[in-house]
Amino acid sequence: MSVRCAIVGPTGYTSQYLLELLLRHPEADTTYLASHREELPDVRELFPQFWGRLDDEVAICQPIDPRKMAESADVAFLCLPHKAAMSYAPQLLEAGLKVIDLSADYRFSDAALYERVYQTPHEDIAHLPQAVYGLPELFRDKLLPGAGAGADARLIANPGCYPTAAALAIAPLLSHSLVKHDRILINAASGVTGAGKKVADHLHFAEQNESYLAYGKIGSHRHQPEIEQTLSRVAGHGVPVLFVPHLLPIDRGILETIYLEPMDEDVTEEDLFEAYEDAYRDEPFVRIREQLPNVKHVRDTNFCDVTVRLAGGNVVVFSAIDNMIKGASGQAIQNMNLICDLEETAGLL
Amino acid sequence: MSVRCAIVGPTGYTSQYLLELLLRHPEADTTYLASHREELPDVRELFPQFWGRLDDEVAICQPIDPRKMAESADVAFLCLPHKAAMSYAPQLLEAGLKVIDLSADYRFSDAALYERVYQTPHEDIAHLPQAVYGLPELFRDKLLPGAGAGADARLIANPGCYPTAAALAIAPLLSHSLVKHDRILINAASGVTGAGKKVADHLHFAEQNESYLAYGKIGSHRHQPEIEQTLSRVAGHGVPVLFVPHLLPIDRGILETIYLEPMDEDVTEEDLFEAYEDAYRDEPFVRIREQLPNVKHVRDTNFCDVTVRLAGGNVVVFSAIDNMIKGASGQAIQNMNLICDLEETAGLL
Amino acid sequence: MSVRCAIVGPTGYTSQYLLELLLRHPEADTTYLASHREELPDVRELFPQFWGRLDDEVAICQPIDPRKMAESADVAFLCLPHKAAMSYAPQLLEAGLKVIDLSADYRFSDAALYERVYQTPHEDIAHLPQAVYGLPELFRDKLLPGAGAGADARLIANPGCYPTAAALAIAPLLSHSLVKHDRILINAASGVTGAGKKVADHLHFAEQNESYLAYGKIGSHRHQPEIEQTLSRVAGHGVPVLFVPHLLPIDRGILETIYLEPMDEDVTEEDLFEAYEDAYRDEPFVRIREQLPNVKHVRDTNFCDVTVRLAGGNVVVFSAIDNMIKGASGQAIQNMNLICDLEETAGLL
Amino acid sequence: MSVRCAIVGPTGYTSQYLLELLLRHPEADTTYLASHREELPDVRELFPQFWGRLDDEVAICQPIDPRKMAESADVAFLCLPHKAAMSYAPQLLEAGLKVIDLSADYRFSDAALYERVYQTPHEDIAHLPQAVYGLPELFRDKLLPGAGAGADARLIANPGCYPTAAALAIAPLLSHSLVKHDRILINAASGVTGAGKKVADHLHFAEQNESYLAYGKIGSHRHQPEIEQTLSRVAGHGVPVLFVPHLLPIDRGILETIYLEPMDEDVTEEDLFEAYEDAYRDEPFVRIREQLPNVKHVRDTNFCDVTVRLAGGNVVVFSAIDNMIKGASGQAIQNMNLICDLEETAGLL
């Protein structure tokens, strides 16, 4: 029997790709698209890709009615801006739905940190303790049904795109004590879908095309503390990072070039590769290879490609994902597969 | 002595490239940037390209004050939306400035046609008779000082981008009676700067990138009657065309692929090339070549590259320009050179 | 039970996308990749996308051994240059395989025409009569098992990319006698994958990027007679076309803008849409819509998006496909589905 | 009187842009294009941009005849691969020409270092001592005629593209003792023209488009020791760097994001900006601004845009140039202006 899926907020790029992946998924059905817009949109008007693939009854959005959603769906994906997500999640959980939130609202376990980073008080502190940070390669045990001592995961905080690529690249080196934890530099570059679908002067084609630049207040990107939270959990102590994002003139893809210091002079490149092998040998979605990764080679896949070099006394890690897939919707599906007891890779290979 | 230039409305792409060309021009100085915005912009904030190349006194815009402009400038370029242009032109002319209008306001000699096409009454009918359509290769005699019987040209209607590429490509074949005039099909494609700097959903990088499509109401583009007006003048009778525009995922460039019927079976490809040679032999900015033109090879130049083929009983003409240069700002400079008695190619080769 | 698939010549773009689609197909297994290269390649080296998705035994190519292939596969897809394809097809057929040829070798029923267009004698005239031109929307009856009076289709000539978009766009208007057949102009534009994976000066990124141009000898593209063959079959008499290809600076996608003359003055836009509706009402892969199609909206799909306009006495049809999917590999899968008695849409929606 | 210029090796991208800049230069004439190819090329065939702008006598290349070149030119620009440059330079110098070499052959003062880095013995050690590294902002005194105690500069080693952006960004912080010199990390990204015009599998449009990756052997790029040589000269002691290059899917532009450690905790962002102001206040081609630089805003200019941030205990510098202009041909012109006693900015603003 298929898992029945609802998407709340189906008008942005993450929901476009989520819908695309769900259509390819052999054991999932999209049953309910829910919008908070007054005039309920037809997603086929927004994404003409879907004409001929979605019936009227699904494509034309319905209001966000938790009870009705719970009747026709098992899982609700929240593709909403932060703040909006936590205003709907409680009702959806109460109505019996499993919730996978693609916003940032449940990513921090510390409400005060959330408030500081997102400049708004957290409005659903009650559910924070049960939210699971859905990065399966690092925290799978909290996602698998019946695996933990406690209750099954029903509220998943789907990780940010940059944090996914960073955490997967850095965690094994920390856990294997191969690098120092006090000067980690993350030079990141993302395709334009990462900036969202809303128009803005700087996102005009003629501005972004043939363009490349860093953006934002350096050292203050919202994903920096998210990366730090994950690495701190892995290391067992605080791990500060410096995160510097750039915008690439492409549709999709993130490449992070990460600079670290080896723990001591004895560390070899072989040691580094072994740490990755040890961590990811059985992971279906992490590819450790000698070749330098290219965003083009992970496009439209749920893979994270990682390689590492020891050069001039520095450890340099390269990590590539599709920001829309492993960085958002693909990982959301992977999380759904896990909490719904499907094959983890279903619909993703 | 240099020609002193003012630009009215210096915040769009045409004014960016106009400013760029004026900076390279050996005999022109930009002296006055005039904006109708309440908060007077610094063009270097809008186009960081210009830091280090424009002094404060020029870069920081001034109000549109015709008297003051006339004191510091000889020529005013209007880079305004249609309708706004004709609201300023009369005062600027009266103040003694020569006016080169890059909008559509003075392109049609028939005010009723203007009203029908631009959906607004013409508000400066008085000046229409003296406006010269600034396509030098076809109408140079009206632009040269002292050349005509009447007064020197002081109000220039700078042609549209698509009409420039179309008219230069088609006119010689009509004037040499080599093609029929009743089924002319213009398949046109333009880079995104042609759509202007204002943001819009469909101009978002992630929508235009890796994209290609026709746009608008087919057969109703505003440039269609402008092309027809020029060709009718050349032919001496009405010449209807069908104009179908497409949007290319590039910054700059127009290529038009134009389908015509030869006048009779005796027309040879040689005849067609001869007509072009005859028309453009001495033109510095039209290049007639065997090779199929590429928008990349006219980029940042004032050239119009044209070639022609006879194939399957059809005449196919290919015409390429940089929509920002020969299609707008370069042609405006060419017109300035002519009416100010400079070398026609000054600053453009 | 799944259909077992072999790919012969798996190093180009068509085979990359074919492999991608087969991996997503619920009822097909890729079992044999066959290369004629001395040093047998690993397709994962060529297309790093496939690491983690293909096992060694499949990914590392094997020699083209028809007997061995027939043991492990039911269908062989030929992704070879023309001429090479017909040198292998006979042995593969004889060994019992069904053959879907993505080259041009079996597309013309007339060997003399083939020789003229491809400048090489046809070397497998014996099989030409049984080859079926695999454009299901127009010739499905010849593809369905047991449907015809004769034998089941075992040799499929997969149509060219441009001809697919053209034929689907034009055929209904001809069959409904709504347009004249003697001046059909096809203005086509394709992404760069259409030019193949082999390097060439003009395919260098820095040449194609920000570029747009027509190419080749106008009126002599090899797809022109292929389009004419299909349209002539539909019309029951010769239908000449003029085909003018352009190269777009994008990876994938074809848009054709087609100019025709209405049969008479009474033809309305409604008539034109009705003809399409009539022809394609039940087709899963042709989308007739009011909206002008965009190559971006068919990307990575097997759809052909078509719309039509009546403008200035001309019929203008717009037809968009992904050149790699409906224009090559997707259509090959669709053909496989048909001749192997699977659901026609399996793996494609 | 104009400076007469020869270009040796005019078939690559650097010579294309050099020619473009020389055409715009008010006091330079291109008089001699010299090729070592058997069949002497017409540069207009290679770069159709130049039709109509270059006469036959210049555009059609001549053999590399030093005596003849010296008759018609004052300066020779070498746009040759390394090793080829040093095989011609001695004869050109001897014939009386000033030589500006855009290859790497005279960039290292240490012939042994050259041999190690370029894997070939240096064949013109005799001229190494007189070669001047042409980075005017740091070494102008060696370029100005009559400025030094010794002879005027007649052999200029034009810096590499990456080293130009790196050295200008880092030098002031070292010379003002604001950063430590022992862990400098340079994350660099370049447009595809930087890879040269020669075709290669990975430079195919369909491979580079929508792509982004690091390349080469990390820590072994040839520009790394060139950067180290310059910074060591500035600092007065060895300065090791780690240089990590990436390839951007754009035509032109380099952005380097450089990570350094502040000398101590007292260093403020203000200090950093002051160092730049102090170093570059009067430089026409270095723009120090608060805004993060974008390769698009230096395109087709000779500017190097630099800004700096202090974030999380790190100094992060951003430096952008057009790899073809300030990174190659523009800087070559700047050097020509200096050694030929023209205004340094002539033809470049």
Side-chain angles (χ1 to χ4, degrees), chain B residues 51 209-210 251 287 296, chain D residues 51 209-210 251 287 296:
Chain B
W51 286 106
N209 184 43
E210 296 292 288
D251 276 2
R287 300 190 292 199
K296 188 152 195 158
Chain D
W51 286 106
N209 185 42
E210 296 292 290
D251 276 2
R287 299 189 292 197
K296 189 151 195 159

Side-chain angles (χ1 to χ4, degrees), chain C residues 243-278:
Chain C
F243 175 78
V244 181
H246 301 69
L247 202 50
L248 288 168
I250 63 174
D251 277 1
R252 296 154 66 178
I254 283 176
L255 179 72
E256 299 185 3
T257 306
I258 305 169
Y259 301 88
L260 309 109
E261 289 181 82
M263 190 60 90
D264 56 46
E265 291 188 354
D266 297 338
V267 171
T268 65
E269 213 167 89
E270 209 166 33
D271 295 336
L272 301 167
F273 274 104
E274 264 170 30
Y276 285 116
E277 282 304 324
D278 183 48

